[in-house]
Amino acid sequence: MIITSEQISLKHLLTAESLSDQEVMGLIRRAQAFKQGAKSNLPDEQFFVTNLFFENSTRTHKSFEVAEKKLGFDVIEFDAKSSSVTKGESLYDTVLTMSAIGVQACVIRHSQEDYYNELIQSKTITTSIINGGDGSGNHPTQCLLDLLTIYEEFGYFSGLNVAICGDLTHSRVANSNMKMLKRLGANLYFCGPEEWYNKQYEAYGEYLVIDDVLDKVDVMMMLRVQHERHDSDEGFSKETYHQRYGLTVKRAEKMQAKAIIMHPAPVNRDVELADELVESYQSRITQQMTNGVYMRMAILEAILHGKA
Ligand code: CP
């Protein structure tokens, strides 16, 4: 059953897997419509939203801002460094304040996994929460824009062969994507250092060395080495990592012509992915960034439906 954009109404978006398949497909179709120039179907009212980023971001933060402005929302600026966070204000109290002053939706990125549990249990906080990334937990909006990018390319998910390669244990993108791609019928492979592989991923796919997946995959999804979440460099020089686990130019030559390269970015060029491949004909990395705006418009519209 296909649901229309008017039928998608979300209170919060915390994880991708909380969405039904119909909601996922509805958001993909709505994002495609926005990309083709569709206008918001929200009533002509004032909507206040804010972006609370406690961890650095370029793509998620700025594409939300573009999406919010395209939808005509009033975007309340927030910079943790010049806010009362510097006086010890907790995340709970920041969000409570936003809710009390009439902000209807907060996009939040925070280093603490599952930071949102305390917020959604509050009886006082009424603002909606959109998770812009929680530690190594979830990144639902990245997952949805990745699904949009894959759907635009192939038009289906079932039976696609997707390799997710690299810093698996630290990646919220990998966590969200493996769950959703598996549920939508894709065959998954995992590649990368064994010490960054967790046996619990066996429920989603097969662990192989990168050289053994090259000619199988439709989608080669590379992950950033998340230096900020590591205790040390864990023994890999950039060159060693690239040669052992990265998508080198030589490896990419073994991929099928129809296969695409994805990466949530920012990319550590010449570490997980060769510099020359970032903007190559098989890369969809800039398309992922562009799609982020349209998918976030679809998500914001679905969240604000419940507020109108
Ligand atoms: N892909 C992603 O989440 O990028 P940012 O950290 O720049 O938002």
Side-chain angles (χ1 to χ4, degrees):
M1 184 186 71
I2 295 174
I3 56 175
T4 66
S5 58
E6 287 82 0
Q7 289 172 305
I8 312 175
S9 179
L10 305 172
K11 168 78 176 125
H12 305 290
L13 179 62
L14 310 173
T15 66
E17 68 264 28
S18 65
L19 298 168
S20 66
D21 291 359
Q22 284 83 4
E23 285 171 329
V24 170
M25 287 313 301
L27 288 169
I28 288 175
R29 294 214 168 81
R30 189 62 183 147
Q32 287 182 307
F34 278 130
K35 201 168 178 180
Q36 285 155 18
K39 298 283 174 236
S40 157
N41 57 30
L42 290 167
D44 190 16
E45 289 175 20
Q46 191 169 34
F47 291 103
F48 290 107
V49 298
T50 192
N51 303 306
L52 308 178
F53 278 69
F54 298 90
E55 248 192 14
N56 293 345
S57 165
T58 303
R59 277 145 291 274
T60 311
H61 192 168
K62 295 301 152 189
S63 63
F64 259 114
E65 220 170 274
V66 172
E68 289 154 0
K69 289 180 178 176
K70 275 179 175 277
L71 289 168
F73 298 164
D74 285 305
V75 183
I76 305 305
E77 292 296 323
F78 175 84
D79 169 26
K81 290 194 187 75
S82 60
S83 76
S84 288
V85 170
T86 59
K87 302 175 209 164
E89 181 178 79
S90 64
L91 173 64
Y92 183 94
D93 284 336
T94 302
V95 177
L96 178 66
T97 305
M98 293 297 168
S99 182
I101 66 175
V103 172
Q104 288 133 311
C106 296
V107 179
I108 305 178
R109 171 170 289 188
H110 203 282
S111 58
Q112 188 192 318
E113 232 169 281
D114 300 340
Y115 68 80
Y116 42 77
N117 284 337
E118 181 191 23
L119 306 176
I120 60 166
Q121 279 161 22
S122 166
K123 290 194 169 60
T124 324
I125 292 174
T126 57
T127 192
S128 291
I129 310 297
I130 302 173
N131 183 9
D134 59 300
S136 299
N138 287 276
H139 200 344
T141 69
Q142 178 73 44
C143 173
L144 288 163
L145 74 89
D146 288 346
L147 294 179
L148 166 62
T149 307
I150 293 170
Y151 190 77
E152 273 185 342
E153 190 71 31
F154 299 100
Y156 59 94
F157 298 103
S158 190
L160 281 180
N161 294 316
V162 181
I164 306 181
C165 305
D167 194 351
L168 293 157
T169 41
H170 300 100
S171 174
R172 53 196 173 210
V173 177
N175 187 33
S176 292
N177 278 344
M178 72 176 77
K179 289 174 182 163
M180 291 310 290
L181 283 164
K182 170 82 180 168
R183 204 175 87 190
L184 293 166
N187 305 311
L188 296 187
Y189 302 104
F190 299 109
C191 311
E194 241 180 304
E195 46 274 61
W196 298 346
Y197 176 76
N198 187 321
K199 272 198 100 57
Q200 75 192 35
Y201 306 149
E202 277 176 5
Y204 302 99
E206 191 181 353
Y207 179 61
L208 292 173
V209 295
I210 189 166
D211 295 293
D212 290 346
V213 301
L214 296 170
D215 61 352
K216 296 190 211 299
V217 293
D218 300 295
V219 179
M220 184 62 102
M221 190 179 283
M222 305 308 295
L223 301 171
R224 182 171 70 86
V225 178
Q226 305 215 0
H227 297 288
E228 73 277 21
R229 297 189 209 283
H230 292 211
D231 294 333
S232 68
D233 278 351
E234 301 186 26
F236 302 118
S237 70
K238 288 179 178 180
E239 182 54 27
T240 305
Y241 187 90
H242 190 55
Q243 290 309 325
R244 277 195 208 160
Y245 307 109
L247 187 60
T248 61
V249 172
K250 273 206 156 60
R251 285 192 175 116
E253 283 166 3
K254 295 185 181 151
M255 289 168 52
Q256 303 176 73
K258 65 164 187 181
I260 60 169
I261 299 167
M262 296 177 69
H263 190 304
V267 178
N268 293 310
R269 289 177 185 246
D270 287 333
V271 182
E272 63 268 5
L273 182 60
D275 179 38
E276 297 96 305
L277 297 175
V278 175
E279 292 150 83
S280 66
Y281 80 99
Q282 280 178 295
S283 169
R284 297 294 177 272
I285 298 171
T286 52
Q287 193 178 321
Q288 285 174 269
M289 296 183 222
T290 305
N291 283 345
V293 170
Y294 300 106
M295 179 47 80
R296 287 169 177 132
M297 287 174 77
I299 292 163
L300 285 160
E301 186 187 63
I303 293 275
L304 271 303
H305 266 153
K307 308 280 179 183

